[in-house]
C-alpha cells in the first residue's frame, strides 16, 4: 500500500475545506435588518410658483387632509354630507384625483359622501421606492379607510383604478358595500396591448437612466421651455409636470405597468368577494387604451351571484370621467341606489 504524499493531502484539503467553510458561512450567517423604504416627495414639494399649484392645487377639492402610513403620506379629500352613502373614487395609472373633477362634486351634490385620494406615486401622495403591485394599492385604501374609520364603502375605479377596485373587493370584501363600479376597467390587459414605447420606457435599465439627475434636469428644461398643443389641457399638463419634476413618478408608473394590477386580475374578478354585490361595468366604444372587449370579458368572469350591469357609451374614449361626466355620474347614482335593472 502506497502512503499518501504530503502534496496529495494538501490538494485534498484545498478541495474540501473551502466548500465546508462556505456551507458553514451560509448556514451561520444572519441577514442584516431590512433598510427602510425610501420615500420620494409628491407635488407638495414643488414651489408655489410651479404651474402644478395653478392646475391642481393641494386644495383642489374641499375637505382635504393627509394620512401618515409606513409607505408614505397619502392625500385625500372628503366631499358631500357626512351621513351620506359612502363611495370611494380611485383614479388610474398616470392622472391623479383631478380625473374626477366633474364626477365627484356631482355625486356629493346628490347626497353621497365621496372619498377621493391620490395613489402612491401620483399627485400629492408620496412615492415609496418599492414594487407597485396590487397589494400596495389595496393596502393603501384599506389603511385609508381605517384611518377615516369607514367600516365599508362602495368602491369605484377608472382604468387601473378599476383593477384596484376589483383586487380590493377580492381581498377585503368586508370593507366593500353593495356597489362596485368598473369604468374603462383594466386588469385583464395582455402584454400585446402595451405599446413598444411603454414596454421600453418601463424597463428597469431605462428607468435607472431616466431617473438620473442629468436626464431629469434635461426633461425639466424641455417641460419648462416647450409649449405643446396640449398645454391648455390641465389633465395632460399635470402628467407632464409630474413626469418632469417628481423623481418617483416615472418609476411608479413603470412598476405599475410591469408588476401592477393592469394585468393578471382574472382571479380577482372571479372571486367570491363580488357575490351579492351590484357591479357596474362602464366602457366607451372608442377606448383604444383599454379596448371595449375587456368589458365583456369582465362580465363573463364575475361569479353568478353578483348582480351586474354593463353600460356602453357610444363614441366615448378612455377618459370617460372627463368627456362624459353626466353619463358617468348618472350610472354611478343608479349603481349606488340600485335603481337600474341588475341581472345576476
Amino acid at each position: 500500500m502506497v502512503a499518501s504524499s504530503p502534496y496529495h493531502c494538501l490538494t485534498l484539503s484545498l478541495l474540501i475545506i473551502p466548500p465546508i467553510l462556505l456551507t458553514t458561512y451560509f448556514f451561520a450567517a444572519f441577514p442584516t435588518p431590512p433598510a427602510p423604504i425610501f420615500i420620494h416627495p409628491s407635488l407638495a414639494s414643488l414651489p408655489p410658483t410651479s404651474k402644478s399649484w395653478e392646475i391642481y392645487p393641494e386644495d383642489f377639492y374641499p375637505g382635504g387632509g393627509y394620512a401618515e402610513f409606513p409607505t408614505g403620506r397619502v392625500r385625500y379629500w372628503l366631499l358631500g354630507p357626512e351621513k351620506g352613502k359612502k363611495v370611494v373614487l380611485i383614479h388610474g395609472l398616470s392622472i391623479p384625483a383631478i380625473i374626477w373633477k366633474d364626477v365627484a362634486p356631482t355625486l356629493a351634490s346628490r347626497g353621497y359622501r365621496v372619498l377621493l385620494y391620490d395613489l402612491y406615486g401620483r399627485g400629492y401622495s408620496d412615492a415609496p421606492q418599492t414594487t407597485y403591485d396590487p397589494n400596495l394599492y389595496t393596502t393603501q385604501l384599506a389603511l385609508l379607510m381605517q384611518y377615516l374609520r369607514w367600516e365599508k364603502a362602495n368602491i369605484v375605479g377608472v382604468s387601473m383604478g378599476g383593477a384596484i377596485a376589483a383586487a380590493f373587493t377580492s381581498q377585503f370584501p368586508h370593507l366593500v358595500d353593495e356597489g362596485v363600479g368598473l369604468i374603462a376597467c383594466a386588469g385583464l390587459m395582455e402584454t400585446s396591448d402595451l405599446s413598444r414605447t411603454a414596454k421600453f420606457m418601463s424597463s428597469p435599465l431605462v428607468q435607472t437612466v431616466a431617473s438620473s439627475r442629468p436626464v431629469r434636469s434635461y426633461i425639466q428644461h424641455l417641460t419648462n421651455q416647450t409649449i405643446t398643443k396640449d398645454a391648455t389641457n390641465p389633465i395632460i399638463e399635470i402628467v407632464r409636470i409630474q413626469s418632469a419634476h417628481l423623481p418617483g413618478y416615472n418609476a411608479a408608473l413603470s412598476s405599475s405597468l410591469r408588476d401592477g394590477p393592469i394585468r393578471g386580475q382574472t382571479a380577482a374578478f372571479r372571486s367570491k368577494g363580488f357575490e351579492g354585490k351590484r357591479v357596474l361595468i362602464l366602457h366607451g366604444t372608442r377606448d383604444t387604451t383599454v379596448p371595449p372587449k375587456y368589458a365583456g370579458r369582465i362580465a363573463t368572469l364575475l361569479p353568478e351571484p353578483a348582480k351586474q350591469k354593463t353600460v356602453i357609451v357610444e363614441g366615448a374614449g378612455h377618459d370617460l370621467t372627463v368627456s362624459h361626466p353626466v353619463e358617468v355620474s348618472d350610472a354611478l347614482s343608479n349603481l349606488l341606489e340600485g335603481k337600474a335593472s341588475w341581472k345576476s
Side-chain angles (χ1 to χ4, degrees):
M1 178 178 248
V2 180
S4 299
S5 66
Y7 177 78
H8 184 251
C9 292
L10 178 62
T11 302
L12 286 176
S13 298
L14 291 175
L15 291 174
I16 295 173
I17 292 176
I20 293 176
L21 291 176
L22 284 173
T23 302
T24 303
Y25 170 78
F26 283 120
F27 273 107
F30 196 75
T32 57
I37 296 177
F38 184 82
I39 305 294
H40 292 287
S42 69
L43 284 177
S45 66
L46 300 186
T49 55
S50 171
K51 194 175 181 180
S52 61
W53 288 95
E54 176 185 341
I55 298 172
Y56 181 49
E58 196 175 35
D59 59 352
F60 187 81
Y61 300 104
Y66 282 99
E68 297 275 357
F69 300 136
T71 39
R73 290 201 312 170
V74 173
R75 180 64 176 176
Y76 68 89
W77 298 266
L78 289 169
L79 287 69
E82 291 186 12
K83 295 185 178 180
K85 187 174 290 187
K86 296 179 176 67
V87 56
V88 179
L89 302 181
I90 311 171
H91 67 77
L93 176 70
S94 58
I95 304 168
I98 190 177
I99 199 73
W100 300 105
K101 64 185 181 67
D102 298 312
V103 174
T106 300
L107 293 178
S109 69
R110 295 179 182 180
Y112 300 109
R113 185 65 164 168
V114 181
L115 168 62
L116 306 102
Y117 67 103
D118 285 336
L119 294 172
Y120 281 129
R122 287 81 165 177
Y124 290 95
S125 289
D126 289 340
Q129 189 169 301
T130 187
T131 301
Y132 284 71
D133 59 13
N135 291 336
L136 177 72
Y137 293 119
T138 57
T139 302
Q140 179 187 13
L141 178 53
L143 288 174
L144 182 56
M145 288 180 64
Q146 182 187 52
Y147 176 84
L148 298 172
R149 299 183 180 180
W150 280 23
E151 294 184 358
K152 58 173 51 182
N154 298 278
I155 309 297
V156 177
V158 61
S159 191
M160 187 183 78
I164 295 171
F168 186 83
T169 302
S170 173
Q171 295 179 14
F172 303 101
H174 60 288
L175 298 180
V176 181
D177 209 340
E178 298 175 337
V180 180
L182 308 174
I183 305 173
C185 185
L188 299 179
M189 294 181 69
E190 300 168 357
T191 304
S192 58
D193 292 319
L194 303 178
S195 67
R196 292 182 180 179
T197 301
K199 295 174 186 175
F200 176 76
M201 292 303 297
S202 65
S203 69
L205 177 60
V206 172
Q207 277 304 304
T208 299
V209 175
S211 61
S212 64
R213 186 175 293 275
V215 174
R216 286 186 56 242
S217 297
Y218 178 68
I219 294 175
Q220 290 173 13
H221 174 75
L222 290 180
T223 301
N224 294 335
Q225 298 298 321
T226 304
I227 299 176
T228 68
K229 64 179 180 179
D230 296 317
T232 57
N233 186 332
I235 301 295
I236 300 298
E237 193 64 15
I238 202 66
V239 170
R240 284 162 47 85
I241 292 171
Q242 290 178 108
S243 180
H245 294 279
L246 299 186
Y249 175 76
N250 291 320
L253 264 60
S254 299
S255 181
S256 296
L257 289 171
R258 296 192 310 271
D259 315 300
I262 67 169
R263 301 178 297 158
Q265 296 306 300
T266 298
F269 289 114
R270 283 178 173 161
S271 76
K272 293 183 178 180
F274 280 98
E275 293 183 359
K277 303 289 192 293
R278 291 192 301 272
V279 184
L280 168 68
I281 303 171
L282 187 63
H283 223 101
T285 58
R286 295 187 179 180
D287 190 337
T288 57
T289 302
V290 181
K293 66 181 180 181
Y294 289 115
R297 293 184 185 179
I298 291 171
T300 61
L301 290 175
L302 294 173
E304 288 187 5
K307 300 175 182 179
Q308 60 176 281
K309 181 178 179 63
T310 300
V311 177
I312 302 298
V313 182
E314 190 66 34
H318 190 62
D319 58 343
L320 274 168
T321 62
V322 175
S323 63
H324 293 72
V326 175
E327 290 85 346
V328 171
S329 299
D330 289 345
L332 291 179
S333 294
N334 289 332
L335 168 70
L336 298 172
E337 298 301 328
K339 291 181 179 179
S341 58
W342 300 87
K343 64 178 181 178
S344 59

